[in-house]
Amino acid sequence: RLLQEGYLDKIGNWNVYSLETGGFRLDGGAMMGSVPKVLWSKTNPSDEFNRIDLSLRCMLLDNGQDRVLIETGMGSKLSDDMKSMFYVAQTENPLVDALNDVDCSKNDITHVILTHLHFDHSGGATEFNESGEIIPTFPNAKYFISKRNWQAANRPNPRDKASYLSENFESLEKNGQLVLLEDNCKILDSITTITVDGHTMGQQLIKVESDESTIIFIADLIPLKSHLKLPWIMGYDLNAQLTLSEKTDFLNDACKFGWWLWFYHDPETVAVKITKGEKYYDIVSELKRKPI
């Protein structure tokens, strides 16, 4: 699970690990918004229920002192109905198992950064203990969440209320492990956030940079490689016009500065570098997921 191709093994002092915590499916039309199925099905084929494959690809950063986990997957608390509805394919303890694969335990994690609190991103932040109580999964970590997204999750609007499940984040505050962040702030010297609001209020992209290279964990601003095309915007987004503006500015910067873009949800591609093309953006470097 360590990226071996030589591009993303290391960012500055950080060793970079890709944690494939499982997969699931969502409705292809909802994922692609106004784009006709005749177009999106060429790159993201659907099953008999019109669902397309999505990954749950977290990132682990390790500099020998701090072990920083970005995103937590769906976790181990899902009901059977949820697993069936979303065709969830993962182990019983997906995030812990993925960490064990790179010789890391949940006790080793010092920082957990969540881009936003939708259940497919924050589910692994908490777990059941032996008594059936919900507790933070990582006992020695601080959890870093955008203040505005925390507010949105605790007072959700009808559009995304079903995506914010309090069991995934309530105990973080109760256990004194929650750190609320202002927009566009620094977490560690080489780790900062970029706040965007089109998908949901206060989503934070995570920027990891060194003198040689920079990688951005792009979360649900650009969930799939297909969404590099500007008009391809999820129906799930609260404000599609704002997403378009945020994505345009972001991708222009990605071209200008040569950033790597890390996908959380693309089932085949881990990360890309892009340049401006004649119509949209062309991929100049691509890191594919290793075959299972």
Side-chain angles (χ1 to χ4, degrees), residues 16-80:
V16 181
Y17 297 83
S18 174
L19 303 180
E20 299 284 354
T21 69
F24 70 117
R25 294 176 181 175
L26 287 178
D27 184 85
M31 283 298 297
M32 302 305 181
S34 61
V35 179
K37 184 176 182 179
V38 69
L39 295 180
W40 61 253
S41 61
K42 295 177 182 178
T43 52
N44 301 88
S46 61
D47 65 12
E48 66 273 24
F49 300 109
N50 207 48
R51 301 174 302 187
I52 63 173
D53 289 330
L54 302 174
S55 70
L56 298 162
R57 181 179 303 109
C58 307
M59 181 190 290
L60 175 66
L61 302 168
D62 184 353
N63 66 3
Q65 178 178 353
D66 296 312
R67 292 176 177 86
V68 179
L69 177 66
I70 302 176
E71 228 72 309
T72 65
M74 284 195 175
S76 57
K77 307 186 305 297
L78 292 175
S79 67
D80 289 340

Side-chain angles (χ1 to χ4, degrees), residues 19-289:
L19 303 180
E20 299 284 354
T21 69
F24 70 117
R25 294 176 181 175
L26 287 178
D27 184 85
M31 283 298 297
M32 302 305 181
S34 61
V35 179
K37 184 176 182 179
V38 69
L39 295 180
W40 61 253
S41 61
K42 295 177 182 178
T43 52
N44 301 88
S46 61
D47 65 12
E48 66 273 24
F49 300 109
N50 207 48
R51 301 174 302 187
I52 63 173
D53 289 330
L54 302 174
S55 70
L56 298 162
R57 181 179 303 109
C58 307
M59 181 190 290
L60 175 66
L61 302 168
D62 184 353
N63 66 3
Q65 178 178 353
D66 296 312
R67 292 176 177 86
V68 179
L69 177 66
I70 302 176
E71 228 72 309
T72 65
M74 284 195 175
S76 57
K77 307 186 305 297
L78 292 175
S79 67
D80 289 340
D81 285 346
M82 288 276 282
K83 291 176 184 176
S84 176
M85 181 186 306
F86 298 113
Y87 200 83
V88 178
Q90 60 181 29
T91 65
E92 187 174 344
N93 294 292
L95 187 51
V96 172
D97 290 341
L99 287 167
N100 288 341
D101 285 347
V102 295
D103 298 320
C104 185
S105 80
K106 64 181 183 180
N107 294 328
D108 296 328
I109 301 300
T110 58
H111 303 68
V112 177
I113 307 173
L114 296 168
T115 64
H116 60 298
L117 292 170
H118 284 171
F119 72 89
D120 54 319
H121 295 254
S122 66
T126 62
E127 64 181 5
F128 291 114
N129 65 13
E130 293 179 355
S131 302
E133 301 167 319
I134 295 177
I135 61 171
T137 303
F138 304 98
N140 301 317
K142 291 293 186 181
Y143 287 75
F144 295 81
I145 298 165
S146 153
K147 181 186 293 184
R148 289 196 299 114
N149 191 249
W150 177 260
Q151 293 168 347
N154 282 278
R155 295 190 296 274
N157 66 60
R159 275 289 309 275
D160 59 352
K161 184 176 182 179
S163 296
Y164 287 120
L165 307 180
S166 61
E167 60 263 31
N168 292 332
F169 48 84
E170 255 184 356
S171 64
L172 307 180
E173 184 177 39
K174 291 178 181 177
N175 282 270
Q177 293 177 242
L178 178 67
V179 178
L180 296 180
L181 302 175
E182 299 296 338
D183 293 355
N184 305 310
C185 73
K186 180 172 76 172
I187 298 175
L188 293 168
D189 282 343
S190 55
I191 301 178
T192 55
T193 68
I194 300 170
T195 310
V196 290
D197 294 311
H199 177 59
T200 189
M201 293 298 292
Q203 179 182 199
Q204 53 187 14
L205 315 183
I206 312 305
K207 184 178 185 182
V208 186
E209 59 187 324
S210 70
D211 292 337
E212 294 79 28
S213 56
T214 296
I215 186 167
I216 315 288
F217 193 102
I218 52 179
D220 280 353
L221 176 66
I222 308 169
L224 299 167
K225 185 171 71 171
S226 299
H227 291 105
L228 290 170
K229 303 180 186 73
L230 288 176
W232 294 44
I233 293 171
M234 288 191 291
Y236 296 112
D237 286 10
L238 295 184
N239 188 331
Q241 186 62 39
L242 181 56
T243 293
L244 178 61
S245 175
E246 292 172 337
K247 188 163 74 164
T248 302
D249 291 343
F250 176 81
L251 290 175
N252 287 339
D253 283 344
C255 294
K256 178 179 179 181
F257 297 112
W259 294 336
W260 279 103
L261 309 181
W262 179 286
F263 295 108
Y264 181 64
H265 282 314
D266 195 283
E268 297 180 356
T269 298
V270 176
V272 296
K273 279 187 178 182
I274 60 171
T275 189
K276 284 189 177 181
E278 289 187 11
K279 188 173 183 182
Y280 297 126
Y281 300 91
D282 296 332
I283 293 171
V284 295
S285 296
E286 182 170 4
L287 184 62
K288 288 282 194 176
R289 179 179 180 176

